[in-house]
C-alpha cells in the first residue's frame, strides 16, 4: 500500500515552501538571535518532510505532480540567490560560495569550460565517393 502524499498539489507545495522561507526570515529578523540562519536545500527538505528521491520524482514526473517542478525550481533559485549574495558581503566566503554553487540544487555551476568539440560527432561515409581502397 502506497503512503499518502506529503504534499497534495503545487499550491500546497508553494504554501509549505513560503512557510519555510518565512520561518528563516523571521528567525533572522529577531535581534536576540546572534547566529544568522541560511536557506539550505537539506533544511528545506526537512521542513517539507520530503526525501531527495521524493523531490526528484516531483521534478521529473510532471504528469503525476503537475506544477511541482516549477515551484521547486523557483525555490532552488531563491536558495542560489542567497548563496551568491553571501559571497558579495564577505570575501572570506567566496570559496564556500563557489563550492556550494557547484552542487546540483544550488545551480550546478561548473568552472570547466564547455568545449564545442565535446558535442561534435563526425561520420564519414565512403559509399559513392570512389573505391574504398583509395583512402587507405
Amino acid at each position: 500500500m502506497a503512503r499518502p502524499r506529503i504534499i497534495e498539489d503545487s499550491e500546497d507545495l508553494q504554501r509549505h515552501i513560503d512557510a519555510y522561507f518565512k520561518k528563516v526570515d523571521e528567525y533572522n529578523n529577531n535581534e536576540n538571535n546572534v547566529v544568522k540562519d541560511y536557506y539550505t536545500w537539506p533544511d528545506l527538505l526537512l521542513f517539507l518532510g520530503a526525501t531527495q528521491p521524493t523531490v526528484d520524482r516531483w521534478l521529473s514526473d510532471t504528469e503525476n505532480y503537475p506544477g511541482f517542478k516549477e515551484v521547486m525550481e523557483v525555490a532552488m533559485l531563491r536558495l542560489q540567490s542567497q548563496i551568491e549574495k553571501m559571497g558579495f558581503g564577505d570575501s572570506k566566503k567566496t570559496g564556500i560560495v563557489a563550492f556550494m554553487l557547484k552542487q546540483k540544487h544550488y545551480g550546478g555551476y561548473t568552472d570547466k569550460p564547455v568545449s564545442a568539440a565535446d558535442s561534435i560527432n563526425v561520420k564519414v561515409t565512403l559509399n559513392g565517393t570512389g573505391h574504398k581502397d583509395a583512402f587507405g
Side-chain angles (χ1 to χ4, degrees):
M1 184 165 105
R3 289 181 11 185
R5 281 190 176 182
I6 298 168
I7 307 290
E8 290 299 320
D9 55 28
S10 61
E11 291 81 16
D12 189 28
L13 177 60
Q14 185 65 62
R15 280 190 297 277
H16 280 77
I17 289 173
D18 290 343
Y20 166 73
F21 288 125
K22 182 178 179 183
K23 175 190 79 99
V24 173
D25 292 341
E26 285 176 353
Y27 177 88
N28 288 333
N29 290 332
N30 184 341
E31 57 195 41
N32 295 327
N33 296 326
V34 181
V35 178
K36 183 176 178 171
D37 196 6
Y38 294 95
Y39 309 139
T40 68
W41 183 254
D43 201 26
L44 174 60
L45 296 189
L46 287 169
F47 189 86
L48 294 174
T51 63
Q52 187 61 56
T54 298
V55 175
D56 289 341
R57 275 194 307 277
W58 293 350
L59 293 170
S60 63
D61 187 354
T62 56
E63 184 177 319
N64 289 315
Y65 301 97
F68 280 48
K69 180 178 181 177
E70 292 77 16
V71 171
M72 290 305 298
E73 286 177 344
V74 170
M76 285 187 259
L77 284 173
R78 191 159 177 190
L79 295 169
Q80 182 181 354
S81 173
Q82 182 195 48
I83 292 168
E84 288 177 358
K85 290 175 185 174
M86 276 182 3
F88 296 138
D90 187 351
S91 62
K92 294 177 184 175
K93 293 182 180 177
T94 55
I96 188 67
V97 166
F99 175 77
M100 289 179 74
L101 291 174
K102 291 179 181 183
Q103 306 308 308
K104 174 182 167 186
H105 299 292
Y106 297 126
Y109 163 80
T110 179
D111 51 6
K112 177 183 173 187
V114 178
S115 171
D118 290 344
S119 62
I120 294 175
N121 292 322
V122 177
K123 181 178 180 181
V124 177
T125 305
L126 299 177
N127 294 343
T129 59
H131 194 271
K132 59 184 172 184
D133 291 336
F135 296 101

